[in-house]
C-alpha cells in the first residue's frame, strides 16, 4: 500500500511538473511573441520617422527655394519700380508695397506703349504718299 501511495504521489508530482513546465513554456513563448511584435512595430515606427524626416527635409528645401524665388521677384520689381519712377514724368509717392509698385510699373509700361503707338502712327502718316 505504501508503494502505491508513493507511485500515486510521484505521478501527481510529475503531472504538476509537466503542467508548470508547459505553463512556463507558454509564458515564455507569449513573451517572445510580444517582444517580436513590439520590435516589429518599433522598426515600422523608425521607418515612418525616417520617411517623415526625409519629407520634412524636402519641404524645407522647397520652402527655402520658394522664399529665394520670391525674394528675387521682389528685388526685380523693386529695381524696375525705381527705374520707372526715375524716368517717369508723373511723380509717384515712394512705396515698398509690391502690389503698388506693380501698379506703377503697369501704368508706366502702358504710357510707353501709348507713346510708341502714337509715334508709329505719326510716322506712318508722314511716310504715306500724298495725293496729288
Amino acid at each position: 500500500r505504501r508503494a502505491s501511495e508513493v507511485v500515486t504521489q510521484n505521478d501527481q508530482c510529475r503531472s504538476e511538473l509537466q503542467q508548470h513546465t508547459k505553463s512556463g513554456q507558454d509564458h515564455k513563448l507569449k513573451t517572445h511573441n510580444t517582444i517580436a511584435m513590439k520590435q516589429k512595430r518599433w522598426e515600422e515606427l523608425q521607418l515612418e520617422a525616417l520617411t517623415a524626416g526625409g519629407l520634412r527635409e524636402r519641404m524645407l528645401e522647397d520652402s527655402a527655394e520658394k522664399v529665394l524665388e520670391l525674394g528675387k521677384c521682389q528685388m526685380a520689381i523693386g529695381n524696375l519700380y525705381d527705374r520707372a519712377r526715375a524716368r517717369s514724368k508723373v511723380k509717384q509717392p515712394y512705396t515698398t508695397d509690391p502690389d503698388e509698385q506693380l501698379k506703377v510699373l503697369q501704368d508706366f509700361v502702358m504710357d510707353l506703349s501709348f507713346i510708341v503707338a502714337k509715334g508709329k502712327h505719326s510716322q506712318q502718316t508722314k511716310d504715306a504718299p500724298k495725293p496729288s
Side-chain angles (χ1 to χ4, degrees), residues 3 11 14 24 27 29-30 34 40 49 51 53 59 66 78 84 86-87 93-94 96 102 107-108 116 119 121 125 130:
D11 287 342
R14 184 177 292 127
H27 179 70
L29 183 61
K30 285 180 185 177
T34 302
K40 183 178 179 185
T51 303
M59 288 173 69
K66 289 177 182 179
R87 294 185 182 183
Y94 184 79
T96 57
L102 285 170
D107 291 343
F108 182 73
V116 169
H121 178 69
T125 55
K130 296 181 182 178

Side-chain angles (χ1 to χ4, degrees), residues 82-95:
D82 290 340
R83 287 182 182 191
R85 278 190 74 235
R87 294 185 182 183
S88 177
K89 302 282 189 237
V90 178
K91 294 302 172 196
Q92 299 281 345
Y94 184 79
T95 181

